[in-house]
């Protein structure tokens, strides 16, 4: 009536309601509700009915039994107490923004999910402890530990903004870091499918050419940077798998993510370097003239992080004898030396790798790191044979080369 009264055309025969939340389906249900036709409010339509009711002024101001009241009752009784229903309704809200924000629906759903998830975690942990001590009580209605984040897979399809808000909310409520990590991995592989590298070639594709779709690249870059910002705190005992960190760093480099993002990942890998295998640090460099196959500068920074860890600030305490072969610190550094020697042997075949880069990387570890020098000698041998002009030239100076490496590498 108001739109007709305000219309300038006296013979107006058609109205177009472009701004109705939920579009024609929502308006049709609202119209049926007005004329007494039974309308089923469900998880699939409650969000659009709630938003449409506010837009169409179907509120307490005009009727006691209004659509807004009915939608609110359904939300209160059937949606907010349930994690699955709340996640499902939250997903429908993405198509209703900003109307869903205006009625405070998004914020209430996120708060409800965060509260219920952490209650479930608390109950699951309590029941698990009781079961572990021999009690007969079994967590029949709850998932077993490690599977309680089933809802995390259902949020993998959320847009980046809602996902970030939801995960920040559950983290602030105390959700376990292991669960947060699994949710982030699911989201990364879902959002970056075909781009996110990993060890399983059947599940993840390689990094594709990102120059063909600028808008897609921007979205993927935002996903990577957001995921890195949501990772659990940096720590040697972080639950984030090394393979995931390595794949995320490769993706960040391919997408030209921010330096802060890449530095964060390099530091995380350096802090957990003892868990790494060769594939984790074989990070390809960008294309360019006379570029090397692998980015040795990234690896140098990662090893520098590892070598400069402050043991006194770590959770497991400090005070280890750095030079003692039996100390935990020395054990870790020996593992790192084997990893570095394997890396040097791999990159030695690259004809574009200059000797200065190879030598500086070989010298990055302290003398006592290599208890056995076979690995570095093998890498040097491969490096020289791959450059025959250097190899034959070095034959004239074999004694001095051997003496140099013995002095450089042996304690």
């Amino acid at each position: 009536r108001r739109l007709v009264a305000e219309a300038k055309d006296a013979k107006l025969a058609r109205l177009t309601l472009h701004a109705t939340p939920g579009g024609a389906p929502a308006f049709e249900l609202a119209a049926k509700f007005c004329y007494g036709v039974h309308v089923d409010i469900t998880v699939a339509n409650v969000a659009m009915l709630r938003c449409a009711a506010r837009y169409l002024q179907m509120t307490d101001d005009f009727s006691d039994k209004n659509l807004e009241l009915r939608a609110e009752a359904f939300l209160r009784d059937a949606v907010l107490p349930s994690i699955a229903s709340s996640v499902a309704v939250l997903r429908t809200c993405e198509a209703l923004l900003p109307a869903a924000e205006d009625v405070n629906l998004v914020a209430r759903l996120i708060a409800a999910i965060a509260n219920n998830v952490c209650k479930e975690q608390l109950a699951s942990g309590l029941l698990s402890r009781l079961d572990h001590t021999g009690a007969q009580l079994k967590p029949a209605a709850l998932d077993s530990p490690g599977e309680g984040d089933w809802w995390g897979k259902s949020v993998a399809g959320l847009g980046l903004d809602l996902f970030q808000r939801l995960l920040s909310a559950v983290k602030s409520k105390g959700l376990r870091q292991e669960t947060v990590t699994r949710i982030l991995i699911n989201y990364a592989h879902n959002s970056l499918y075909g781009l996110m590298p990993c060890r399983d070639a059947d599940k993840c594709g390689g990094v594709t050419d990102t120059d063909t779709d600028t808008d897609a690249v921007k979205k993927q870059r935002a996903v990577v940077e957001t995921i890195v910002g949501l990772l659990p705190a940096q720590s040697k005992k972080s639950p984030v798998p090394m393979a995931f960190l390595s794949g995320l760093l490769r993706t960040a480099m391919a997408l030209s993510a921010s330096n802060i993002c890449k530095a964060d990942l390099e530091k995380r890998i350096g802090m957990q370097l003892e868990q790494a295998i060769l594939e984790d640090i074989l990070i390809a460099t960008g294309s360019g003239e006379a570029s090397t196959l692998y980015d040795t500068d990234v690896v140098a920074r990662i090893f520098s992080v590892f070598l400069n860890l402050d043991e006194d600030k770590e959770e497991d305490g400090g005070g280890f004898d750095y030079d003692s072969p039996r100390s935990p610190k020395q054990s870790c550094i020996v593992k790192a030396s084997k990893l570095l020697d394997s890396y040097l042997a791999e990159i030695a075949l690259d004809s574009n790798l200059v000797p200065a880069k190879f030598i500086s990387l070989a010298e990055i570890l302290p003398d006592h790191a290599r208890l056995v020098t076979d690995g570095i000698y093998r890498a040097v041998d491969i490096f020289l044979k791959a450059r025959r002009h250097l190899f034959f030239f070095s034959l004239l100076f074999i004694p001095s080369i051997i003496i140099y490496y013995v002095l450089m590498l042996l304690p």
Side-chain angles (χ1 to χ4, degrees):
R1 268 203 310 268
R2 189 184 73 244
L3 290 174
V4 172
E6 294 173 354
K8 296 180 180 179
D9 186 359
K11 297 181 179 180
L12 182 67
R14 182 183 182 90
L15 287 172
T16 303
L17 305 176
H18 289 298
T20 304
F27 183 81
E28 180 182 2
L29 290 177
K32 288 180 177 180
F33 181 85
C34 284
Y35 286 94
V37 179
H38 178 70
V39 174
D40 281 327
I41 299 181
T42 66
V43 169
N45 66 23
V46 66
M48 71 175 183
L49 287 177
R50 177 64 183 84
C51 295
R54 174 62 62 87
Y55 176 77
L56 297 171
Q57 298 182 1
M58 301 173 70
T59 64
D60 288 335
D61 296 335
F62 297 93
S63 173
D64 292 336
K65 298 179 180 179
N66 56 77
L67 183 58
E68 184 178 70
L69 194 63
R70 283 277 308 275
E72 278 295 334
F74 185 85
L75 286 168
R76 181 185 66 248
D77 299 334
V79 175
L80 297 179
S82 166
I83 298 175
S85 297
S86 296
V87 171
V89 175
L90 183 62
R91 295 183 68 171
T92 67
C93 285
E94 289 190 292
L96 299 167
L97 297 173
E101 294 279 16
D102 294 338
V103 297
N104 199 32
L105 184 54
V106 172
R108 285 187 291 159
L109 288 168
I110 289 176
I113 294 169
N115 288 331
N116 291 329
V117 161
C118 292
K119 286 179 183 177
E120 183 182 87
Q121 174 182 271
L122 183 63
S124 178
L126 176 61
L127 291 175
S128 297
R129 286 195 295 272
L130 289 173
D131 182 65
H132 181 71
T133 55
Q136 296 301 313
L137 182 60
K138 297 290 183 179
L142 295 171
D143 297 310
S144 60
E147 298 176 356
D149 58 336
W150 56 268
W151 62 273
K153 295 180 180 179
S154 67
V155 303
L158 281 175
L160 184 60
D161 180 61
L162 291 188
F163 175 79
Q164 183 177 10
R165 288 172 59 182
L166 177 58
L167 204 64
S168 296
V170 295
K171 285 178 66 177
S172 68
K173 290 290 184 178
L175 189 67
R176 294 190 189 98
Q177 290 191 348
E178 293 81 1
T179 306
V180 170
T181 298
R182 287 194 292 270
I183 295 169
L184 286 170
I185 291 174
N186 283 331
Y187 191 82
H189 287 157
N190 183 73
S191 303
L192 303 170
Y193 183 77
L195 184 67
M196 180 73 185
C198 69
R199 292 175 186 164
D200 192 341
D202 295 331
K203 294 182 179 179
C204 304
V207 176
T208 58
D209 184 2
T210 59
D211 293 330
T212 58
D213 192 347
T214 303
D215 290 338
V217 169
K218 289 180 179 178
K219 291 179 180 178
Q220 291 167 335
R221 185 185 302 127
V223 169
V224 171
E225 292 176 353
T226 299
I227 288 174
V228 172
L230 291 170
L231 288 172
Q234 295 175 344
S235 169
K236 287 180 65 177
K237 296 182 178 180
S238 170
V240 186
M242 176 60 70
F244 179 67
L245 291 174
S246 175
L248 207 55
L249 178 57
R250 290 187 179 95
T251 306
M253 294 175 64
L255 295 171
S256 300
S258 68
N259 291 333
I260 294 176
C261 172
K262 291 182 286 189
D264 184 287
L265 289 168
E266 290 172 5
K267 185 174 182 181
R268 290 176 183 276
I269 294 173
M271 294 180 77
Q272 300 172 228
L273 191 61
E274 60 186 275
Q275 304 172 23
I277 61 175
L278 178 59
E279 286 77 6
D280 293 326
I281 60 172
L282 285 175
I283 300 171
T285 190
S287 59
E289 294 183 2
S291 64
T292 56
L293 293 175
Y294 299 107
D295 195 325
T296 56
D297 292 334
V298 169
V299 173
R301 290 194 295 269
I302 288 172
F303 273 86
S304 294
V305 170
F306 170 77
L307 293 171
N308 292 312
L309 287 178
D310 187 354
E311 292 289 341
D312 293 334
K313 295 182 180 179
E314 289 300 312
E315 303 90 337
D316 53 357
F320 297 131
D321 184 358
Y322 194 82
D323 295 322
S324 172
R326 295 184 180 181
S327 73
K329 175 66 178 180
Q330 179 64 15
S331 175
C332 292
I333 207 169
V334 168
K335 290 181 182 179
S337 71
K338 293 179 180 179
L339 178 65
L340 180 60
D341 290 347
S342 297
Y343 179 78
L344 290 169
E346 188 70 27
I347 66 173
L349 294 169
D350 184 0
S351 59
N352 288 326
L353 180 65
V354 297
K357 283 278 188 182
F358 182 85
I359 293 172
S360 65
L361 199 56
E363 293 178 333
I364 198 170
L365 294 178
D367 294 341
H368 64 270
R370 291 183 175 92
L371 300 180
V372 178
T373 56
D374 292 352
I376 187 61
Y377 280 120
R378 174 174 172 268
V380 171
D381 183 58
I382 294 173
F383 184 85
L384 292 175
K385 287 181 177 178
R387 296 154 183 78
R388 294 192 176 276
H389 62 287
L390 292 177
F391 178 71
F392 290 116
F393 181 74
S394 67
L395 292 177
L396 301 175
F397 303 97
I398 285 293
S400 60
I401 290 175
I402 292 177
I403 293 173
Y404 170 74
Y405 279 108
V406 168
L407 293 176
M408 180 181 72
L409 300 173
L410 293 182

